[in-house]
């Protein structure tokens, strides 16, 4: 899919049902895909798609923190600049790139967040403020207390920029001092995307599942249909459409989605946008990229377990009264969201649109059923003593009367493992008990991700099928 079409705000009746008065909201963690961007590679230039797109007016308004050595000046100041893009022209001469209308200071780099991407992420922030601030009264009024906020983005610039736009949408006038804190990780420790580059075993498994998808789909009748509709637009050197073709099928879909999200200056031929063509591309690419999460517990552990463990730990800390945190925002990617949803058995099979988000909400029941006493403390339990990121003092009673609910693009999700009686709020299966959610995550969150990445390297082929329970 391409751009997200947000649903209208909840009606008063919907809001009352979604947020019952007996449940007190304690913590919200929102993980979002970045907004609309340019393709990560230049493709189909012979078909009229330019390598450089004129949709980044922000390039004329950049600022950088620079050291100022002037006597009496502040140690750091801001350098304002506009960015122009240079390329090799005829005979190798350096030329400034210009768009189809002659402009030069609005040209985007490959994979860059565009003006539309900035707009949709800004609007996501406004929607979060409207729901959690204006209507539910949950968000802090301002950013003055840093203990109530947690912000982190992946090292990919479009992820950070999207997070910044969401923040400005939520809080239009952030104070300059003290500045807000946005956390980052070095690539070897990053878990805001499935980190194949820094996990040898996960990379090995990803290649094996990609090979499985190639064997399944490259000669399938659906691939032949794609060949009949858009194969004529491939180069003579690589005339066949394939998962591992040139370009890869996922790359073709990337260009389709990014062009569809933007203006007429970057359009592909009409066949690329036919509903059946797009449906087949989505189905095959989803199978290649995300089948591993559905089929392999090891894949889930290496690809999304660490991040889910972070979500779990913050929920448990909040339930125990150990953290004042109220809102956490994570700037991430499409593969992150689909990995999380697949791991939890809640993926709808549609590639996440730009600016998609998952909200992990933690509630406390303020009017628990008096007939249901708190469970006994966990004694001599390995989950109590060795639960990832938890302390030996965590007991089942401390998690009692707490519930977790996920909303994907404002639609509540029901996790299959929370459907049994006793694992959800009576009358609403979308509210998973915190104990049940913790149990789900405990099974897949690695205690030492780096160590897990070095296991089973001598094993070839697809692991035994272990579907999401």
């Amino acid at each position: 899919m391409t751009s997200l079409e947000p649903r209208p705000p909840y009606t008063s009746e919907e809001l009352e049902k979604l947020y019952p008065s007996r449940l007190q909201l304690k913590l919200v963690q929102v993980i979002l895909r970045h907004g609309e961007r340019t393709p990560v590679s230049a493709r189909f230039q012979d078909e009229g798609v330019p390598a450089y797109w004129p949709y980044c007016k922000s390039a004329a308004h950049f600022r950088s923190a620079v050291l100022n050595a002037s006597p009496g000046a502040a140690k750091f100041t801001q350098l304002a600049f506009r960015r122009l893009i240079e390329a090799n022209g005829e005979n190798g001469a350096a030329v400034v790139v210009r768009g189809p209308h002659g402009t030069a200071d609005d040209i985007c780099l490959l994979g860059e967040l565009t003006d539309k991407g900035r707009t949709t992420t800004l609007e996501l922030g406004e929607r979060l403020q409207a729901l959690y601030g204006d209507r539910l009264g949950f968000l802090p009024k301002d950013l003055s207390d840093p203990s109530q906020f947690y912000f982190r983005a992946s090292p990919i610039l479009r992820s950070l920029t999207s997070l910044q736009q969401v923040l400005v949408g939520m809080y239009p006038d952030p104070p300059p001092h003290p500045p807000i804190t946005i956390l980052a990780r070095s690539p070897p420790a990053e878990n805001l995307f499935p980190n194949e580059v820094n996990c040898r075993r996960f990379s090995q498994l990803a290649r094996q599942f990609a090979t499985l998808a190639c064997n399944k789909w490259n000669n399938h009748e659906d691939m032949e249909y794609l060949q009949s509709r858009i194969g004529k637009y491939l180069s003579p050197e690589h005339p066949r459409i394939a998962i591992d073709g040139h370009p890869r099928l996922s790359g073709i879909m990337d260009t389709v989605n990014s062009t569809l999200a933007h203006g007429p200056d970057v359009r592909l031929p009409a066949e690329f946008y036919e509903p059946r063509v797009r449906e087949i591309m989505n189905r095959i690419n989803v199978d290649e990229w995300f089948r591993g999460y559905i089929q392999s517990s090891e894949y889930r552990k290496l690809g999304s377990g660490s991040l889910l463990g972070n979500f779990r730990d913050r929920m448990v800390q909040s339930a125990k009264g150990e953290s004042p945190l109220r809102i956490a925002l994570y700037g991430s990617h499409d593969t992150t969201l689909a990995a999380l949803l697949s791991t939890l058995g809640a993926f709808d099979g549609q590639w996440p649109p730009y600016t998609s988000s998952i909200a992990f909400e933690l509630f406390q029941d303020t009017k628990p059923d008096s007939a249901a006493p708190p469970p006994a403390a966990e004694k001599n339990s390995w989950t109590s003593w060795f639960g990832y990121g938890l302390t030996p003092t965590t007991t089942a009673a401390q998690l009692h009367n707490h519930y977790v609910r996920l909303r994907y693009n404002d639609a509540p999700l029901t996790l299959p493992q929370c459907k049994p009686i006793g694992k959800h709020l009576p009358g609403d299966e979308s509210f998973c008990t915190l104990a049940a959610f913790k149990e789900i995550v405990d099974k897949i969150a690695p205690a030492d991700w780096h160590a897990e990445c070095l296991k089973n390297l001598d094993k070839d082929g697809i692991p035994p099928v272990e579907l999401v329970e």
Side-chain angles (χ1 to χ4, degrees):
M1 296 179 70
T2 180
S3 296
L4 176 69
E5 296 182 8
R7 59 150 288 155
Y10 298 129
T11 64
S12 298
E13 292 77 13
E14 289 173 325
L15 193 70
E16 184 177 357
K17 183 178 180 180
L18 286 167
Y19 295 91
S21 59
R22 64 181 285 182
L23 296 183
Q24 177 187 0
L25 192 58
K26 296 198 66 176
L27 173 64
V28 177
Q29 300 182 79
V30 179
I31 184 164
L32 60 120
R33 183 190 180 187
H34 56 76
E36 286 82 348
R37 58 158 172 77
T38 57
V40 296
S41 296
R43 310 180 188 96
F44 300 107
Q45 295 178 66
D46 291 343
E47 307 309 324
V49 180
Y52 299 98
W53 292 16
Y55 299 126
C56 292
K57 290 184 173 63
S58 60
H61 304 278
F62 285 166
R63 281 170 169 75
S64 289
V66 293
L67 185 66
N68 191 331
S70 301
K75 187 173 183 180
F76 281 93
T77 187
Q78 289 188 339
L79 174 68
F81 69 99
R82 68 169 183 151
R83 181 199 68 198
L84 300 181
I85 296 178
E86 188 176 84
N88 290 327
E90 293 184 8
N91 301 317
V95 296
V96 172
V97 174
R98 295 186 179 275
H101 305 293
T103 55
D105 57 1
D106 59 356
I107 304 300
C108 308
L109 293 169
L110 292 173
E112 185 172 4
L113 192 74
T114 61
D115 298 329
K116 182 172 183 180
R118 288 177 176 272
T119 299
T120 59
T121 46
L122 177 77
E123 291 171 346
L124 172 60
E126 293 173 341
R127 295 197 301 274
L128 292 174
Q129 179 61 247
L131 174 63
Y132 292 116
D134 300 342
R135 303 189 71 183
L136 296 177
F138 175 73
L139 288 180
K141 296 297 184 182
D142 54 43
L143 294 163
S144 59
D145 183 357
S147 69
Q148 295 184 313
F149 300 93
Y150 176 93
F151 307 130
R152 182 159 75 89
S154 85
I156 311 301
L157 183 58
R158 58 181 175 268
S159 168
L160 173 61
T161 308
S162 293
L163 176 62
Q164 292 168 336
Q165 290 288 169
V166 171
L167 286 173
V168 174
M170 294 175 66
Y171 295 98
D173 298 305
H177 298 289
I180 61 172
T181 297
I182 299 178
L183 290 93
R185 293 190 180 189
S186 64
E190 187 56 77
N191 64 2
L192 281 177
F193 52 74
N195 199 338
E196 294 180 34
V197 173
N198 291 288
C199 183
R200 289 177 60 192
R201 177 56 177 166
F202 187 57
S203 177
Q204 182 184 52
L205 288 173
R207 290 194 302 269
Q208 291 167 352
F209 275 103
T211 299
L212 181 67
C214 288
N215 294 337
K216 175 181 178 181
W217 293 107
N218 277 354
N219 295 312
H220 193 276
E221 61 181 9
D222 285 340
M223 195 71 79
E224 291 302 320
Y225 181 81
L226 295 181
Q227 184 69 32
S228 70
R229 300 303 300 152
I230 60 177
K232 59 190 173 185
Y233 298 114
L234 270 62
S235 69
E237 296 79 14
H238 304 286
R240 295 289 301 176
I241 294 178
I243 285 178
D244 54 349
H246 300 278
R248 296 182 67 89
L249 183 62
S250 58
I252 296 175
M253 190 172 79
D254 173 56
T255 299
V256 169
N257 287 340
S258 53
T259 56
L260 194 59
H262 293 91
D265 292 327
V266 295
R267 278 291 187 266
L268 286 160
E271 293 94 327
F272 285 90
Y273 306 114
E274 293 174 356
R276 187 179 176 191
V277 168
R278 294 183 62 207
E279 186 277 325
I280 291 173
M281 285 195 294
N282 175 83
R283 180 155 39 86
I284 295 175
N285 284 317
V286 162
D287 186 63
E288 179 200 358
W289 285 73
F290 308 123
R291 181 177 179 176
Y293 297 99
I294 298 170
Q295 185 171 315
S296 167
S297 62
E298 185 181 16
Y299 206 89
R300 295 190 285 272
K301 176 183 289 187
L302 299 177
S304 58
S306 174
L307 181 56
L308 281 170
N310 294 161
F311 292 158
R312 171 206 59 197
D313 293 348
R314 292 193 172 91
M315 292 179 188
V316 171
Q317 290 163 2
S318 179
K320 294 170 63 179
E322 296 177 349
S323 170
L325 182 66
R326 295 179 74 83
I327 180 75
L329 298 178
Y330 306 80
S332 69
H333 304 268
D334 46 2
T335 53
T336 316
L337 269 60
L340 293 171
L341 295 171
S342 299
T343 294
L344 296 172
F347 187 39
D348 62 4
Q350 297 299 311
W351 200 277
Y354 296 115
T355 320
S356 290
S357 64
I358 308 172
F360 290 74
E361 301 171 322
L362 176 68
F363 300 84
Q364 182 176 11
D365 191 349
T366 60
K367 298 179 180 179
D369 185 355
S370 59
E378 299 177 49
K379 296 181 179 179
N380 300 322
S381 166
W382 75 269
T383 57
S384 173
W385 286 90
F386 298 106
Y388 310 117
L390 306 183
T391 68
T393 58
T394 299
T395 66
Q398 290 173 308
L399 308 185
H400 189 54
N401 295 327
H402 285 81
Y403 296 90
V404 177
R405 200 255 310 274
L406 274 64
R407 292 186 309 111
Y408 176 49
N409 290 334
D410 292 328
L413 301 177
T414 297
L415 307 185
Q417 297 176 78
C418 297
K419 288 184 177 182
I421 295 175
K423 294 194 173 186
H424 61 262
L425 182 72
D428 194 333
E429 295 179 347
S430 69
F431 287 98
C432 185
T433 67
L434 176 55
F437 184 80
K438 177 181 175 296
E439 181 182 0
I440 295 170
V441 178
D442 284 348
K443 294 177 181 178
I444 55 174
D448 187 336
W449 180 76
H450 291 285
E452 294 290 338
C453 288
L454 297 176
K455 294 181 179 180
N456 299 325
L457 293 174
D458 59 335
K459 296 183 179 180
D460 294 324
I462 300 298
V465 174
E466 297 174 289
L467 300 177
V468 176
E469 296 179 6

